[in-house]
Amino acid sequence: PPSPSTSRGHHITITSHPTLPLLAYCSRTFVVLLSVPRDPNSDDNATSSDNDNDNNGSFVYKGHTSPTTVARFSPSGKLVASGDASGKLRVWSTHGDRKSKLELQVLSGPIADIGWDADSKRITVCGDGGGSFHVKAISDTGNNIGEMVGHDKRALSCDYRKVRPYRVVSCGEDFRTVTYDGPPFKMSKKYDNGDVNTNYVNCVRYSPDGSQFATCSSDKSVTFFNAEDGQVIKTVKNVHAGSIYQLSWSPDGGSIITCSGDKTMKSISSTTHAVIGTYQTPSDPLTVGDMLVGCVHLPDGRPVSVSLNGSINVYGTPDDFASPPVVTGSHASGITSLCYDPVTGTVTTGGGDGTIVTWDPITMVPTKSTDGVGRNPINGGVHKSNVSSLDCVGGGRVVSTGWDDCVRVSG
């Protein structure tokens, strides 16, 4: 499947299935469901029979016609809600025919985030309403159960509390965090510019038991709130050296992970609010492609991060801060050329993004790439645009031509 679409200075919402090692993310006009191998140190290894999806669980949904912006699994795991840049929301099945169950034009601008209720019946969405910056909640039949105001700039993130009394929380570019009681949902509390944050509030998430919610901000801080009354529990400042783009609660609710433009991902205790540790992520001080712009936990607790270059980094156990992650990914756009090396038995592909990737033909896992940190690098420059042809000339070397009028020898 294609790599996640990323943009410098903006987070990517990557989410995980509630029970399966399956990730959901957006790539161009697609939504990708990516199967992640189970922990190799575990005896409980996944097989392709663990679920009904093709290609060991991976699947590309092509129902959107505009660039996709967010996709989140329902708590039941049977549905995905995805939004796009035109403001259209689609709800579709993760199995079977995968046809859309619901299609609505909910905003006049891009949808930034989506939240599900515990019963997989109600959805909240937020984003740019084309001049009105609010949050909406809808039922599974498409009925509007709350149009929530409270932001005067784009709302960047929202979430739905999974326990009673039901609540919705949102945050945005106006430095605000807003809570709503319902349904029907109405604003109950608002933290304005300077009350808690002094820069964009990029992500908000409720804890699994619904007792807390947490936010992360471009002012480098993380804030924990009491979900019952919306009061601030603790603001942890200067968690990272750069903007914090996304956070994720561990399955047991004991900690969160945060990822940042400083190229690190950290674990923070939800009780002591102290930094537990920093995960080792491959990075190069001379590049920006290894900035971390998204993160999530798999159901077994393993952390996952997304780099700006589209690489997906899967770490070991939640408390393993010393081991490097397993890095995977592919092209950010379509594959335009391919060659097979009979000597090494590898397949090499070129993409419309100018990158070259070498794959293990058995597992179809990338082993080398020209697109940055994490995998064994292919020596040789990246084309500036479409790779038009490839030729494997032996010894692991590849000759490529591109639309940038260059011929490159890589290996």
Side-chain angles (χ1 to χ4, degrees):
S3 295
S5 296
T6 62
S7 176
R8 188 175 180 181
H10 300 276
H11 73 274
I12 175 176
T13 300
I14 183 169
T15 60
S16 64
H17 191 280
T19 58
L20 298 173
L22 200 61
L23 299 172
Y25 60 82
C26 297
S27 180
R28 295 180 291 159
T29 59
F30 309 134
V31 175
V32 178
L33 304 187
L34 179 69
S35 178
V36 178
R38 293 187 189 270
D39 186 349
N41 298 318
S42 172
D43 294 331
D44 183 22
N45 290 320
T47 66
S48 58
S49 61
D50 286 338
N51 55 70
D52 297 333
N53 295 326
D54 299 326
N55 193 23
N56 291 332
S58 299
F59 172 73
V60 179
Y61 177 75
K62 303 177 181 179
H64 289 273
T65 56
S66 297
T68 50
T69 52
V70 60
R72 291 188 73 176
F73 287 101
S74 66
S76 69
K78 296 180 180 180
L79 299 171
V80 170
S82 54
D84 63 29
S86 71
K88 186 167 289 184
L89 174 75
R90 288 178 178 266
V91 178
W92 44 280
S93 173
T94 57
H95 296 85
D97 59 13
R98 300 188 181 93
K99 290 183 179 179
S100 294
K101 310 297 181 183
L102 181 68
E103 181 180 339
L104 287 175
Q105 186 71 44
V106 294
L107 294 175
S108 57
I111 296 174
D113 203 1
I114 294 169
W116 284 90
D117 77 334
D119 299 323
S120 304
K121 295 289 186 182
R122 298 185 178 95
I123 300 170
T124 181
V125 300
C126 69
D128 186 344
S132 58
F133 307 92
H134 49 241
V135 184
K136 285 189 175 183
I138 59 175
S139 69
D140 59 344
T141 60
N143 294 325
N144 194 335
I145 55 174
E147 190 159 317
M148 298 165 276
V149 298
H151 291 282
D152 55 22
K153 291 186 179 180
R154 188 163 65 110
L156 295 174
S157 183
C158 62
D159 204 13
Y160 206 124
R161 193 184 187 204
K162 303 298 190 293
V163 298
R164 293 181 183 274
Y166 295 131
R167 292 188 173 94
V168 167
V169 63
S170 65
C171 60
E173 292 181 351
D174 51 9
F175 314 165
R176 290 176 181 169
T177 300
V178 186
T179 61
Y180 310 87
D181 293 342
F185 289 98
K186 297 184 182 297
M187 185 172 66
S188 58
K189 195 169 190 65
K190 178 172 68 175
Y191 290 96
D192 219 329
N193 177 10
D195 293 343
V196 176
N197 296 109
T198 57
N199 209 324
Y200 289 5
V201 188
N202 294 311
C203 184
V204 60
R205 292 290 183 261
Y206 277 104
S207 62
D209 64 0
S211 63
Q212 299 183 58
F213 65 88
T215 62
C216 62
S217 170
S218 291
D219 64 11
K220 310 173 189 177
S221 71
V222 171
T223 303
F224 294 88
F225 297 80
N226 186 324
E228 292 294 334
D229 56 16
Q231 295 297 319
V232 173
I233 299 174
K234 176 75 173 181
T235 295
V236 187
K237 296 184 177 181
N238 297 316
V239 175
H240 288 270
S243 297
I244 307 174
Y245 290 120
Q246 195 174 21
L247 66 85
S248 171
W249 287 86
S250 62
D252 63 4
S255 63
I256 64 170
I257 54 173
T258 58
C259 63
S260 170
D262 66 2
K263 307 182 181 182
T264 66
M265 184 171 72
K266 298 190 178 187
S267 176
I268 305 171
S269 169
S270 62
T271 53
T272 66
H273 310 114
V275 175
I276 301 171
T278 302
Y279 294 94
Q280 297 299 314
T281 305
S283 63
D284 183 342
L286 300 179
T287 67
V288 299
D290 46 342
M291 291 181 174
L292 300 183
V293 293
C295 60
V296 71
H297 283 93
L298 289 167
D300 60 10
R302 284 181 295 161
V304 176
S305 69
V306 178
S307 301
L308 181 62
N309 62 18
S311 296
I312 298 175
N313 315 297
V314 182
Y315 302 80
T317 58
D319 56 354
D320 183 3
F321 300 104
S323 301
V326 176
V327 182
T328 187
S330 58
H331 299 282
S333 60
I335 294 175
T336 56
S337 52
L338 177 148
C339 69
Y340 172 72
D341 189 333
V343 177
T344 60
T346 56
V347 174
T348 299
T349 57
D353 54 358
T355 61
I356 299 170
V357 180
T358 297
W359 308 74
D360 183 308
I362 304 300
T363 63
M364 289 311 296
V365 171
T367 57
K368 292 184 178 181
S369 175
T370 59
D371 63 350
V373 180
R375 287 164 279 189
N376 294 326
I378 294 178
N379 296 322
V382 180
H383 287 278
K384 295 180 180 179
S385 58
N386 185 55
V387 179
S388 54
S389 68
L390 289 173
D391 187 16
C392 295
V393 296
R397 292 182 300 166
V398 176
V399 177
S400 61
T401 60
W403 285 10
D404 55 0
D405 297 328
C406 289
V407 176
R408 300 187 183 278
V409 180
S410 308

